[in-house]
Amino acid sequence: MSKTKNRFWFALFTFPTIFIFTIVVIIPFISGIYYAFFDWDGIAANAKEFVGFDNFLKLMEDERFRHSAWVTIKFTLLALISVNVLGLTFALIVTSTLRTAKSARTMVFMPNLIGGLILGYIWSFIFSDAFSIIDKVTGFESVFYNWLMSPDYALYAIVLVFTWQMAGYMMIVYIAGIENIPYELMEAAKIDGANYWQRLRKIVLPLLMPSITICLFLTLSFAFKIYDVNLSLTGGGPINSTEMFALNIYNEIFGYSNYGYGQAKAIVFFLIVAVISLTQVYFTKKREVEM
């Protein structure tokens, strides 16, 4: 009787979440797959023309989509390194004997609480106006200029903003992993004469692999799906040099009214992110060790 009662309460409390997830995610996803096989402008009054796999084949000749793919991959690789190196560094600092560790955690994590659109507009002001003032004071015009106006450096500006936003979030995950490492193990290494870097390389990093797996997965997925910062900071410019996957799909659907073709891009985008993310999880999970 108790099992039946537990199942009832379980179903009762999980039904709202499952219902919302189905309405918001599952049904739109299935609808997107359906529309990817049609040539349609997204207006209900206009007819949909079935084109089969033509939308997917068209992607092979889409130079702009290939360019956005390369830009997204380049951005993701840079962000993957910068976010996790900085996040791990912050985690190691705030879990040490630093007196201001609690306030440091709060300050580093705070940028993650700011919405991506607002964050983009804030940094747009910094790159344009604040950098101009710093340039006049210091005279370093080769560094302090508006990066967003340069096709060569605009992408690095987005990497900088994304790192500033996400490093604190990853820091929290790394802190949880570091605090889960047995204290006795670290003390035994100290007694055996291992210095800080030896303990970090031989004990901390191997035992931190579960946290590294999570952080790499989150960074990969967030970086591949970046949209709000990309939109508010550069809008894909200058001359489409920073237009990434999500923004390219958005422009295709809502800018050019190619609803079916845009959905085909979205399906391919989903498959790329899924394959890369699952591959990363598979290989990093193999390096995890038991404590």
Side-chain angles (χ1 to χ4, degrees):
M1 188 68 181
S2 60
K3 287 185 177 180
T4 305
K5 191 175 181 179
N6 288 339
R7 288 173 182 172
F8 169 77
W9 287 111
F10 177 80
L12 180 64
F13 284 106
T14 56
F15 174 75
T17 303
I18 295 173
F19 177 76
I20 294 172
F21 182 78
T22 302
I23 296 297
V24 175
V25 178
I26 301 298
I27 293 178
F29 181 74
I30 296 174
S31 300
I33 296 175
Y34 169 77
Y35 289 127
F37 296 95
F38 289 86
D39 182 14
W40 186 41
D41 60 4
I43 300 175
N46 295 338
K48 297 186 285 290
E49 179 185 354
F50 181 76
V51 295
F53 288 94
D54 286 356
N55 284 330
F56 295 95
L57 295 175
K58 187 179 176 181
L59 286 172
M60 305 297 179
E61 303 173 356
D62 192 335
E63 180 63 32
R64 186 169 178 178
F65 185 70
R66 289 202 301 267
H67 176 71
S68 71
W70 162 242
V71 171
T72 306
I73 292 171
K74 183 180 178 181
F75 166 79
T76 301
L77 290 174
L78 292 172
L80 194 67
I81 297 170
S82 61
V83 168
N84 285 280
V85 169
L86 202 59
L88 179 57
T89 302
F90 285 147
L92 292 171
I93 292 173
V94 299
T95 52
S96 63
T97 56
L98 187 69
R99 290 186 178 181
T100 57
K102 291 184 179 180
S103 58
R105 292 187 191 191
T106 304
M107 292 177 63
V108 173
F109 183 74
M110 278 183 64
N112 188 256
L113 303 177
I114 305 174
L117 286 173
I118 299 173
L119 198 67
Y121 291 128
I122 292 173
W123 275 90
S124 179
F125 166 78
I126 292 174
F127 282 120
S128 58
D129 295 356
F131 270 29
S132 177
I133 295 172
I134 296 173
D135 169 40
K136 291 178 181 178
V137 173
T138 62
F140 295 140
E141 59 180 18
S142 60
V143 177
F144 296 105
Y145 64 95
N146 193 347
W147 294 9
L148 305 179
M149 301 300 293
S150 170
D152 297 325
Y153 291 96
L155 185 65
Y156 299 111
I158 302 178
V159 173
L160 175 63
V161 176
F162 183 80
T163 303
W164 187 74
Q165 181 188 27
M166 296 304 302
Y169 185 87
M170 301 307 161
M171 176 194 71
I172 299 300
V173 180
Y174 284 125
I175 288 174
I178 291 171
E179 292 182 344
N180 197 40
I181 297 174
Y183 178 76
E184 296 81 7
L185 192 61
M186 300 297 290
E187 283 299 307
K190 286 182 182 179
I191 293 172
D192 288 340
N195 59 36
Y196 177 80
W197 296 109
Q198 290 173 328
R199 296 196 302 272
L200 179 65
R201 187 162 53 91
K202 298 293 185 179
I203 299 176
V204 176
L205 290 180
L207 295 180
L208 206 58
M209 278 308 299
S211 297
I212 294 174
T213 298
I214 295 171
C215 288
L216 291 179
F217 173 78
L218 291 175
T219 309
L220 271 174
S221 58
F222 288 154
F224 265 111
K225 296 184 296 183
I226 187 173
Y227 169 75
D228 44 9
V229 174
N230 192 192
L231 177 66
S232 59
L233 197 61
T234 64
I239 56 175
N240 297 326
S241 61
T242 61
E243 185 184 63
M244 285 181 262
F245 265 140
L247 186 59
N248 179 274
I249 294 168
Y250 176 87
N251 290 333
E252 193 68 54
I253 295 175
F254 298 103
Y256 308 129
S257 297
N258 294 328
Y259 197 90
Y261 184 47
Q263 287 294 337
K265 286 185 175 183
I267 298 302
V268 172
F269 174 48
F270 166 78
L271 293 174
I272 291 173
V273 175
V275 169
I276 293 176
S277 299
L278 292 175
T279 303
Q280 170 264 309
V281 171
Y282 172 77
F283 283 107
T284 51
K285 288 283 285 185
K286 289 176 68 175
R287 296 182 63 86
E288 293 181 8
V289 295
E290 296 290 338
M291 283 190 287

